[in-house]
Amino acid sequence: MSAERQTQRDPRQRPEQPERRDARAWAWAVRATPIGPLLLAATDEGLAQVVFHAEEKTAAEAVARLTRRLGAEPMAVSSAVPGSVPSADSGTAATAESADSTDSADSADSAPVPRCAEHLAEAIRQVESYFAGDTKAFTLSLDWSLTAGFNRRVLRELAAHVPFGTVVGYQDLADRVGEPGAARAVGVAMGSNPLPVVVACHRVVESGGGIGGFGGGLETKRTLLALEGVLPQPLF
């Protein structure tokens, strides 16, 4: 029986859907990295999404999707998130308020930093440290609400038990979560991973030795595996 048919074996099962919750505070930023710009978005629970190739159009589309999914516009980020790129509306509002009076600016500076901004700032710090070769394991709070069911189980197993510098096969990962016939479904779960790089789907490869697919592109996958010493660094 194929993995696709196996995942549909019980018609009473509802399709896996991300959790639906009330509107939540969140913030985002785009950072330059060796694999191109990454968009990172965090809620009060932790890092919720990482988006590859986050040039202006891609970033705007990602922010629009997250606004719908999280039920709220992103918060204006503060100096707690250095180099961040807030939404245009949020940035304009912050500038207008600071121009009104020095007192209001001082008040804003002394206000508590939102938890989502704290999580975002820490995610930026650790991602930059990872690309600098200093961080081998992320210790971030994660918001798993953008994935669910089988996909979440597989991604949690990957995050917990496939460390820096190692790889795992699609079939092996299916076996680890007790679904030996679901190797193809593991591939689907990797493709829908909302937290790439941090939840390292680039470490999942074909059992026969092939590199496998990757939502961020094969060159990005090769670069990440080379960074971790799994593949040789390119000569040029």
Side-chain angles (χ1 to χ4, degrees), residues 85-116:
V85 183
S87 64
D89 290 344
S90 297
T92 301
T95 302
E97 288 175 5
S98 63
D100 284 343
S101 70
T102 303
D103 289 342
S104 62
D106 291 341
S107 176
D109 289 341
S110 62
V113 177
R115 287 176 61 199
C116 60

Side-chain angles (χ1 to χ4, degrees), residues 41-168:
T43 67
D44 285 350
E45 293 186 21
L47 185 68
Q49 188 156 49
V50 177
V51 179
F52 288 120
H53 313 306
E55 287 84 8
E56 185 175 357
K57 180 180 178 182
T58 300
E61 291 171 348
V63 170
R65 286 194 303 271
L66 281 166
T67 297
R68 293 191 297 270
R69 296 282 289 276
L70 299 175
E73 294 287 338
M75 298 184 65
V77 291
S78 71
S79 57
V81 187
S84 58
V85 183
S87 64
D89 290 344
S90 297
T92 301
T95 302
E97 288 175 5
S98 63
D100 284 343
S101 70
T102 303
D103 289 342
S104 62
D106 291 341
S107 176
D109 289 341
S110 62
V113 177
R115 287 176 61 199
C116 60
E118 291 180 340
H119 287 311
L120 181 57
E122 180 59 18
I124 290 170
R125 187 190 70 78
Q126 290 193 31
V127 165
E128 290 181 339
S129 178
Y130 167 81
F131 282 110
D134 298 325
T135 289
K136 302 297 189 291
F138 292 101
T139 56
L140 297 168
S141 298
L142 300 178
D143 180 343
W144 293 93
S145 64
L146 298 182
T147 186
F150 176 80
N151 289 0
R152 185 188 292 187
R153 285 168 52 206
V154 171
L155 292 170
R156 281 185 174 273
E157 172 65 25
L158 174 66
H161 298 118
V162 184
F164 183 100
T166 67
V167 295
V168 64

Side-chain angles (χ1 to χ4, degrees), residues 33-36 130-131 164 202 211 214 216-234 236:
T33 76
I35 57 172
Y130 167 81
F131 282 110
F164 183 100
H202 59 275
I211 193 172
F214 194 59
L218 291 183
E219 190 58 36
T220 297
K221 187 170 188 175
R222 291 189 186 97
T223 300
L224 292 170
L225 290 174
L227 173 69
E228 298 188 5
V230 175
L231 293 178
Q233 292 285 350
F236 52 85

